[in-house]
Amino acid sequence: MYNNPRFRIAVLPGDGIGPEVVQSCLTILEVLCERLGGISFDFRQREGGAGHYEKTGAVFSDDTLAECRDADAVLLGAMGLPRVCYPDGTEVSAHFDLRMAMDIYAGLRPIRGYPRLPLVLADQRAAEIDLVVVREQSEGLLSSHGCGTLEDDRVRETMVVSRHGSRRVVEFAFELAGRRAKSKRRPGKVTCVDQANLLASMALFRKVFSEVAATHPEVEVEYAHGDVIAAKLVRAPWDFDVLVTENALGRLLADFSAALAGSQSLAPKADIGDRYAIFQPAHGSADDCAGKGRANPVAQVLAAALMLDWLADQHAEPRLAHGARILERAVDKTMSTVWPIEFGGEDGTAAITRALIAHIRG
């Protein structure tokens, strides 16, 4: 640990509302540094995303990729524009290409409720949702993105699940459950979500999960197929802790869970590998809202909190973990006082940013 460490952060603001929520987040992080006693950040902003592809034919340059690899962490804004597609018809996905280039395999999607916001579910316990979906990011069905083969009038795409890929993401999920159990003072539980009844690839995933579970007897385990989990999430999402699954299924469950908790606009995500990590909001670029000051920066700020926690582990720097807690508490207080536009209120980007800064300084 250094007395006055300076962390290099590669920043890709992205598309649509991405630049707006990123600028809010960077301003908030600069304010946070005032409380962290010598911690500082060197933000290296670079272009990348669907807009960059539209202009140049590439989602990001080689120099941008090199900057991301050289940085201590990567912070992204929202990425993608529905109108900008590859020749095969799929949307340009800079964040996907970046994950693959940096061998990032664990997709972390924390989902939680906020008591003051309108509840999607009638049961008041929906405000207590506090779960994490962990997606395997390097293989599964979505790893065929950009590699589909056209055969006459059909396209063939392949799902790949390996023992190595499954083991490392399942180990990640169990370690996460252990940390959550310590911090939240409750028994840790990991749910294996698969379709092992239908797919041999998923049966392998379940087998590897069982092998890893045997080495973590202190953590409760649960097995369920994807359709069963979807039904259980509707009935009692507050019963879940950590869910681990394949890439495509995990994406669906994460977005579904975020909607049950209130809104994707409040959900961050982290994509983590052995060496690199990328942090961004889970919501889309909402290009129709860009430049109107309507965007909610909370998911971007919570993504920054995930980044601080990861950097704290990587550099044995407890001040960063303290900073993450400050951001989370500021979000909690802010969400109890503001009324964001997406929920029918009048508070947009500037008002929410001011409230967050006031709670950080307070």
Side-chain angles (χ1 to χ4, degrees):
M1 183 177 72
Y2 302 97
N3 288 332
N4 296 292
R6 185 171 177 82
F7 296 93
R8 180 172 169 178
I9 310 298
V11 180
L12 279 67
D15 304 302
I17 62 172
E20 297 167 62
V21 294
V22 164
Q23 185 54 56
S24 168
C25 182
L26 298 186
T27 300
I28 286 166
L29 287 173
E30 293 287 4
V31 172
L32 179 66
C33 287
E34 298 170 7
R35 291 195 55 183
L36 295 185
I39 298 289
S40 63
F41 299 104
D42 177 11
F43 297 119
R44 306 289 185 92
Q45 295 206 40
R46 296 290 185 270
E47 288 191 21
H52 189 261
Y53 178 88
E54 199 171 29
K55 291 186 297 184
T56 68
V59 290
F60 46 76
S61 67
D62 291 341
D63 287 344
T64 294
L65 177 58
E67 180 63 53
C68 290
R69 286 173 168 160
D70 289 340
D72 293 302
V74 181
L75 186 65
L76 303 184
M79 292 278 181
L81 296 169
R83 70 175 187 275
V84 183
C85 296
Y86 294 115
D88 66 0
T90 60
E91 286 187 28
V92 169
S93 305
H95 50 295
F96 178 91
D97 293 344
L98 198 58
R99 289 199 303 261
M100 299 304 287
M102 299 173 74
D103 190 29
I104 286 173
Y105 59 85
L108 187 72
R109 287 285 298 274
I111 311 293
R112 54 166 302 199
Y114 292 91
R116 185 168 176 261
L117 297 181
L119 296 179
V120 175
L121 301 178
D123 196 309
Q124 293 299 309
R125 286 176 292 179
E128 301 170 11
I129 295 173
D130 185 357
L131 62 86
V132 182
V133 176
V134 178
R135 302 164 51 195
E136 203 293 320
Q137 297 275 54
S138 68
E139 46 188 40
L141 181 59
L142 296 185
S143 65
S144 65
H145 177 60
C147 303
T149 57
L150 178 63
E151 301 172 358
D152 296 325
D153 59 349
R154 61 181 171 182
V155 174
R156 186 181 300 275
E157 292 173 316
T158 304
M159 181 163 75
V160 176
V161 173
S162 70
R163 172 172 289 277
H164 169 69
S166 300
R167 176 172 290 279
R168 64 182 183 175
V169 76
V170 171
E171 288 280 9
F172 181 93
F174 273 91
E175 290 171 7
L176 174 63
R179 291 198 300 272
R180 279 169 58 85
K182 290 178 182 178
S183 64
K184 298 177 182 295
R185 298 180 181 178
R186 66 181 189 185
K189 182 173 76 170
V190 181
T191 303
C192 176
V193 187
D194 57 46
Q195 290 296 158
N197 56 330
L198 299 174
L199 299 170
S201 56
M202 292 283 199
L204 174 61
F205 186 87
R206 179 175 286 215
K207 181 179 180 181
V208 173
F209 178 93
S210 297
E211 293 169 356
V212 174
T215 67
H216 295 272
E218 75 286 358
V219 178
E220 181 184 349
V221 298
E222 177 184 32
Y223 299 84
H225 298 143
D227 51 349
V228 175
I229 286 294
K232 286 186 175 181
L233 281 168
V234 171
R235 290 197 301 268
W238 47 84
D239 285 344
F240 291 98
D241 185 12
V242 176
L243 302 90
V244 62
T245 189
E246 176 269 340
N247 202 343
L249 186 54
R251 179 172 184 170
L252 292 172
L253 290 176
D255 288 349
F256 181 56
S257 299
L260 289 176
S263 173
Q264 272 190 287
S265 68
L266 307 177
K269 64 180 178 179
D271 298 316
I272 297 172
D274 291 331
R275 184 177 177 185
Y276 305 112
I278 302 170
F279 304 87
Q280 68 178 134
H283 59 69
S285 61
D287 192 41
D288 58 328
C289 294
K292 299 178 181 179
R294 299 168 57 90
N296 187 340
V298 160
Q300 188 77 58
V301 172
L302 290 174
L306 293 176
M307 180 182 75
L308 296 184
D309 270 331
W310 185 78
L311 287 170
D313 287 342
Q314 296 296 303
H315 299 276
E317 178 49 83
R319 285 174 291 181
L320 290 170
H322 177 57
R325 303 291 80 75
I326 292 173
L327 289 182
E328 290 171 349
R329 286 193 294 271
V331 167
D332 286 345
K333 292 176 181 178
T334 296
M335 294 309 296
S336 69
T337 58
V338 302
W339 201 244
I341 290 173
E342 74 263 32
F343 295 104
E346 298 181 353
D347 293 317
T349 313
I352 297 172
T353 301
R354 286 194 299 270
L356 287 164
I357 289 173
H359 290 305
I360 290 169
R361 286 178 169 158

